[in-house]
Amino acid sequence: MQDLNFPLDFQFKISTLANDFTVKDANGQTVSYVKQKLFKFVEEVTVFKDESQAETLYNIKANQWIDFSAAYIFTDTYGQEIGRVARKGWASMWKAHYEVFDQYQQQDFTIREGNAWIRVGDALMGQIPLLGIFTGYFFNPSYTVTRPDGTLIATLKKQKSFFGRRFTVTKEAELEAGEQERIMLSLVMMILLERRRG
């Protein structure tokens, strides 16, 4: 996930049991295929080069069974850690809050949800028969990626769609080597966790 052509689209599949999606660049080219392994005690996600699943690019694995304050570790094809994202337990109860760390355990980014009321509205309306299928058109949360000094780096926004199946990532500033990789893997893991929350 380096030298990507932004904006990127996360397009979830609705025809499979697995929680998986395709990442496409601004030209509509597939840059990766993400698949979450089902029925695992410890959450595990594999990022493939494409939908053929022939070539693995990264693995993401939780460091504990319960994800309330778990860290999700990114490893490359050689099994080397290249970074991690950690959910801030109590801070994420109301608004999603994640911290991104490099391979040396130094924090370099923060991911925050924009407006928690949008998620609340989405969850409440989703419980109403028939109306629930339209929540993807009315409630579309956004998340910002910032440096510790507050500099905006990227934005992830849910797009209007049935079943909440499309998200767009926009780059807002230039990134150093390795940063783009960590940000994208962090957003991949975060969106899988946040979709489950509602």
Side-chain angles (χ1 to χ4, degrees):
M1 288 192 176
Q2 300 180 32
D3 302 318
L4 298 172
N5 189 5
F6 288 84
L8 302 177
D9 274 344
F10 291 2
Q11 299 178 6
F12 278 83
K13 291 192 149 199
I14 57 173
S15 59
T16 64
L17 272 175
N19 203 6
D20 53 353
F21 62 92
T22 304
V23 179
K24 296 190 175 185
D25 67 12
N27 299 320
Q29 299 295 314
T30 298
V31 295
S32 62
Y33 177 70
V34 179
K35 187 168 187 177
Q36 186 172 28
K37 294 185 179 178
L38 298 175
F39 314 117
K40 290 277 188 179
F41 285 113
V42 175
E43 290 194 81
E44 196 170 335
V45 174
T46 306
V47 180
F48 299 96
K49 185 174 183 181
D50 53 41
E51 291 188 51
S52 71
Q53 302 179 44
E55 184 180 343
T56 300
L57 300 178
Y58 309 98
N59 284 294
I60 306 173
K61 193 170 183 179
N63 67 347
Q64 60 187 47
W65 286 10
I66 302 171
D67 74 348
F68 185 67
S69 291
Y72 299 87
I73 300 164
F74 317 137
T75 53
D76 61 17
T77 53
Y78 304 104
Q80 298 296 311
E81 181 177 340
I82 57 174
R84 61 179 63 196
V85 63
R87 182 175 170 210
K88 296 294 288 180
W90 289 108
S92 288
M93 289 296 289
W94 175 241
K95 289 172 71 172
H97 182 167
Y98 294 78
E99 293 179 348
V100 182
F101 299 85
D102 64 18
Q103 66 270 38
Y104 306 110
Q105 317 307 316
Q106 299 297 312
Q107 183 187 348
D108 51 3
F109 300 104
T110 300
I111 303 172
R112 285 193 177 93
E113 185 173 4
N115 185 344
W117 286 110
I118 292 176
R119 178 166 41 84
V120 172
D122 191 18
L124 291 175
M125 189 173 172
Q127 301 303 313
I128 302 171
L130 297 178
L131 282 179
I133 64 171
F134 296 104
T135 61
Y137 277 93
F138 299 109
F139 302 102
N140 297 293
S142 63
Y143 306 84
T144 58
V145 181
T146 57
R147 293 192 188 278
D149 65 4
T151 303
L152 180 63
I153 297 297
T155 304
L156 180 144
K157 184 169 175 54
K158 179 179 168 187
Q159 300 300 310
K160 292 183 178 181
S161 60
F162 281 115
F163 309 111
R165 58 185 295 267
R166 271 195 69 221
F167 297 80
T168 300
V169 180
T170 306
K171 187 170 77 169
E172 311 288 354
E174 291 307 308
L175 298 165
E176 297 174 9
E179 291 184 336
Q180 184 170 268
E181 198 174 37
R182 286 194 298 278
I183 287 172
M184 290 309 302
L185 292 170
S186 297
L187 291 175
V188 160
M189 193 65 233
M190 184 209 72
I191 210 62
L192 288 170
L193 295 169
E194 293 305 306
R195 280 185 94 238
R196 190 172 62 198
R197 289 176 67 202

